[in-house]
Every structure is written in C-alpha cells, then in structure tokens.
Amino acid sequence: VATAPTLHLEAARRTDLALVRAFVRGHAETTGLAPEAVDDLVQAVDEMATNVLVHGYRGRPGPLTVEVDAGAGELRVRLRDDAPPFDPRTWEPPDRVVPWGRRRPGGFGIPLSRGCVDEIDHRAAEADGAAGNELTLVKRGTRSEREPA
Amino acid sequence: MTTDDGGGDRSVTILRLAGDLDASTFEAVIERGRELYADGVRRLLVDMSEVDFMGSSGLVAMHSLALILQGEQPPDPEHGWGAFHHLQTDVEGGGQPHLKIVGAHGSVLRALQRTGMTEFITVHADEQAALDSF
C-alpha cells in the first residue's frame, strides 16, 4: 500500500498557508476533480489550517501535518495538529440578524468550509492522553479508477 | 498593493491587490485602509483582478475596510470591535456606499457570494461601471 502524500511542518505559522494550499492543490489536480471542486477543497483546507494556526496555537508556531489520501471517487485531506481539541462541526455561527455595518468582522471560515466540502470529520486525540486533533475533509467527484480519464 | 486615482469628479481611490489574501496578508490590507482613511479617502474601489485566492481572513479585511471607511474605529482582528455608535449607513442591513469591489473572479468571487458579503459590498465586473456606481 502506497503511503499517502504528506506535508509535515514542525513549526507551522501563517506564512506557511500558501505552502499548504499549493500542496493540496497539486495533488488534488491529479485526481480528476473538476477545477471548481479543487478550489473548494483548497478553500476548506485553508480555513481549517488557519483556525489551527490562529486560534489553536494562538499565533505561535506549532506542528501541522497535511495528508492527501485519494480513495474511490473521493479525496480525503487529513490535518493533524497538537492544539487543544476543537471540533468545527459543533461551532455555531454568530447572530446574523445584526446588519453588516454593525457586525464584528469574522466568523466566515467555518460556514464557508462546510459549503466547500462534502464531509468534515473530527477526532480529538484525547485517547492518547495528549492535545491534538485529526480533521478530515472529504471531497467527492474524483475520477474513478475504473472509468476512463 | 498599489493605489490609483479613479479619476472623474467622485474622488474614488482604487486599491489594487495582488497575490493571495489569507491570514498572513490580510492585516496589511486593513492597515492600508486605515492609512487611506487618515488621508481623507472615503470612496474606495478594491481591484481584485490579480487576487487568485481569498480566505476568510480576506473577507474580514474587506468587511473591515468598509467599516473603516464609514468612520468606525479600526478593528483589532484578534479582539474584535466594540459597539458601533456612529453608523451612517446600513441600518436596513443592505449595502454601503464607501467600498466596492471590481475584478473578483473564480473562488474569490464565490467566497464573497457564499458568505453573503455581496449584500454589503457590491461586486462589479467592469472598472468604469464600478467607478460610475459611486
């Protein structure tokens, strides 16, 4: 079994986000995902990695591993970190009754991500007795190995 | 990141962005907005033709620019804003007249649309039409 392509950053910071996006884009583009679907996956990965670096690590450098796993008709991107457990699926958007002109800027990332991928899974690494998260983003619509390209 | 005079008699400044607008670059855009406001700019057209990626941080930057241009105190992205007391616009929840966007395309345009930000910031395809809309 071939090892999934992996990008490991021992001390990731916000300036590494471009590298994370390029890594995911480069692999996603070889799977037959439509260009717009590749963009969506890259968008969701950027949002989740940004959350880890900005909120999880509070701006301090920390480890981040990105793994791209091409399965049957779908692409899974796994993000692993050592930040305090946070499940983006449980996050509730801010009150949108407040008009834009009086709204605090922010809160866009998680709802945007939800719309960009087909599935988001989260597993906290608490069983290992340590901090850390494993987040999986699934995008369907890759080229099946049985179908012609 | 460069600025141009939009010409005409409406005193519109054009802010041309290039590259990726993400969590490592958005604060510079907000800072530029503060400087422009301090220089007297009240109508700003942001040209995103050369922006190929915009994350939610970029959306925060656009929202912040609009608020700065309507006279709000500059935000600290980490700590948020206080209450706003000097609102000039948007009491009905619609758009505002200070900031518009031109040239947003692909995933950048989709991010603006999916988050509903196009309700607040009008996005134009054509620069002259955008300038004329102020």
Side-chain angles (χ1 to χ4, degrees):
Chain A
V1 178
T3 309
T6 302
L7 172 70
H8 178 68
L9 300 166
E10 195 51 46
R13 49 187 80 224
R14 291 186 291 176
T15 46
D16 292 317
L17 287 165
L19 183 65
V20 170
R21 292 194 298 272
F23 174 77
V24 172
R25 178 175 294 281
H27 288 287
E29 283 176 345
T30 67
T31 62
L33 270 184
E36 195 170 312
V38 173
D39 288 345
D40 283 354
L41 180 63
V42 168
Q43 186 99 41
V45 169
D46 177 86
E47 302 302 345
M48 291 301 157
T50 295
N51 271 348
V52 171
L53 301 181
V54 174
H55 301 296
Y57 291 141
R58 295 179 174 274
R60 289 186 287 270
L64 180 69
T65 302
V66 186
E67 189 181 288
V68 180
D69 191 1
E74 64 178 31
L75 195 61
R76 293 177 169 264
V77 177
R78 268 186 284 279
L79 299 174
R80 292 196 192 87
D81 64 60
D82 285 350
F86 172 71
D87 184 347
R89 298 172 305 177
T90 63
W91 183 88
E92 293 289 335
D95 184 1
R96 286 310 191 211
V97 174
V98 179
W100 284 94
R102 271 185 283 164
R103 199 181 294 172
R104 170 183 161 170
F108 305 114
I110 292 175
L112 188 56
S113 302
R114 286 174 181 160
C116 283
V117 290
D118 296 295
E119 194 179 325
I120 298 177
D121 290 317
H122 173 264
R123 193 175 65 86
E126 287 172 308
D128 306 320
N133 300 273
E134 181 182 285
L135 196 66
T136 305
L137 303 176
V138 184
K139 189 71 177 173
R140 305 208 171 90
T142 60
R143 187 171 50 232
S144 162
E145 289 175 16
R146 293 188 185 83
E147 292 171 15
Chain B
M1 192 157 52
T2 58
T3 51
D4 280 339
D5 187 332
D9 55 7
R10 292 189 179 83
S11 302
V12 181
T13 298
I14 306 174
L15 176 63
R16 301 193 195 277
L17 305 179
D20 290 359
L21 198 45
D22 70 2
S24 69
T25 57
F26 81 112
E27 284 160 321
V29 175
I30 297 175
E31 187 53 37
R32 190 75 188 104
R34 288 177 184 140
E35 293 168 2
L36 291 169
Y37 183 80
D39 290 344
V41 171
R42 297 296 180 269
R43 297 188 184 97
L44 187 66
L45 177 62
V46 176
D47 176 5
M48 304 191 87
S49 315
E50 301 295 319
V51 176
D52 293 322
F53 176 82
M54 179 170 66
S56 57
S57 308
L59 294 161
V60 167
M62 292 304 112
H63 191 182
S64 299
L65 284 184
L67 296 175
I68 287 167
L69 289 164
Q70 69 179 24
E72 304 299 344
Q73 284 302 302
D76 176 341
E78 292 302 313
H79 298 101
W81 304 60
F84 302 130
H85 299 297
H86 305 291
L87 295 174
Q88 301 169 1
T89 57
D90 194 39
V91 288
E92 303 296 324
Q96 45 71 47
H98 304 279
L99 177 72
K100 305 194 183 199
I101 291 173
V102 68
H105 58 278
S107 67
V108 173
L109 180 58
R110 289 196 293 277
L112 288 162
Q113 291 167 336
R114 284 170 170 171
T115 53
M117 190 156 284
T118 48
E119 297 164 14
F120 184 55
I121 303 173
T122 310
V123 178
H124 294 267
D126 176 73
E127 184 167 302
Q128 194 54 52
L131 290 169
D132 291 343
S133 74
F134 277 93

